[in-house]
Amino acid sequence: MKVIVAKDYEDMSARACEIMVKSVKENPRAVLGLATGSTPLGLYRNMIRDHQEKGTDYSRVKTANLDEYAGLDKEHEQSYAYFMKHNLFDGLNIDLANTNIENGTAADAAAECARYNALLEELPRDIQVLGIGSNGHIAFNEPNTPFGSETHVVDLAESTIRDNARMFSDIAEVPRRAFTMGLKNIMNAKKILILANGANKAQAVYGLVKGEVTERVPASVLQLHPDCTLIADEGAASLLTEQTK
Ligand code: PGA
């Protein structure tokens, strides 16, 4: 795994943007795997600024998002479909028909998972952006998710519900279940770009880079990926750098 320690959140976001823009410039038909959460917001702001100032073209780019809350419609303000539209897609010249995410309100969850798995097979991702949960989850693959998992519905861990409650007016409103790509789907991306900021991610980042490869820490599976880059700010990288001092 390639590890880049960024000075702060802005530096992490700028460096991540350089990698994403390079992928799109090298391949105007690139398939981007995208993530939600606080971590990639700065990356997305930088991608929009780059598009506005330098004209990077997304007209033929396709995307596939990691996960979506079960029960939230795509117009719901806390849905990840809404997040992507408002925090990235509206700022780019991307065709919304080329963007993909699980349907949180699908009546038949198993059929929706099968549809998404088939879509991911058809659209191999050139690069997959990831954040990391404080408990080491990637997407909504919580601790003890099998490394061989594909798209599935999960019961969110209590720690994830607490972490995500800040986005909702009340913790009781945080959905308890979500659709998520599985770890096998994530590992199938040609390149992985995982971002982490803040000292509350330091333990998870340590497990990602230096811990045992174990299903107890889902992110540790990325140690087995042939082309994975981590960009962590100084807080998130603090347990890695302490070791080398
Ligand atoms: P965050 O979430 O970016 O909001 O910290 C990361 C994650 O849970 O994967």
Side-chain angles (χ1 to χ4, degrees), residues 43-169:
L43 160 65
Y44 296 159
R45 278 195 293 270
N46 278 278
M47 286 170 71
I48 291 170
R49 190 175 330 124
D50 164 85
H51 168 69
Q52 288 167 346
E53 291 174 1
K54 304 205 178 125
T56 303
D57 179 24
Y58 292 81
S59 60
R60 287 175 294 167
V61 164
K62 294 190 173 166
T63 70
N65 258 81
L66 290 171
D67 45 17
E68 179 61 284
Y69 286 120
L72 296 194
D73 181 81
K74 65 181 190 330
E75 306 301 335
H76 190 289
E77 286 188 15
Q78 302 303 338
S79 75
Y80 288 162
Y82 185 98
F83 175 105
M84 290 310 301
K85 183 167 186 313
H86 291 269
N87 290 302
L88 183 63
F89 300 149
D90 281 352
L92 305 176
N93 66 328
I94 196 162
D95 182 348
L96 282 181
N98 286 339
T99 68
N100 298 282
I101 190 164
E102 296 95 331
N103 173 8
T105 56
D108 183 341
E112 177 57 13
C113 293
R115 178 192 74 83
Y116 210 64
N117 282 327
L119 181 127
L120 296 174
E121 286 285 314
E122 274 168 37
L123 283 186
R125 282 144 292 142
D126 294 291
I127 185 162
Q128 174 68 60
V129 178
L130 294 174
I132 183 168
S134 60
N135 66 357
H137 76 204
I138 46 177
F140 275 135
N141 293 287
E142 301 288 19
N144 301 313
T145 304
F147 285 168
S149 55
E150 297 191 300
T151 307
H152 59 289
V153 176
V154 293
D155 291 318
L156 300 178
E158 276 306 316
S159 61
T160 301
I161 292 169
R162 274 198 308 276
D163 285 351
N164 290 4
R166 69 187 192 282
M167 311 285 189
F168 293 78
S169 49

Side-chain angles (χ1 to χ4, degrees), residues 24-46:
V24 172
K25 286 206 166 126
E26 280 174 3
N27 177 9
R29 294 179 180 278
V31 179
L32 310 180
L34 298 175
T36 51
S38 308
T39 308
L41 277 173
L43 160 65
Y44 296 159
R45 278 195 293 270
N46 278 278

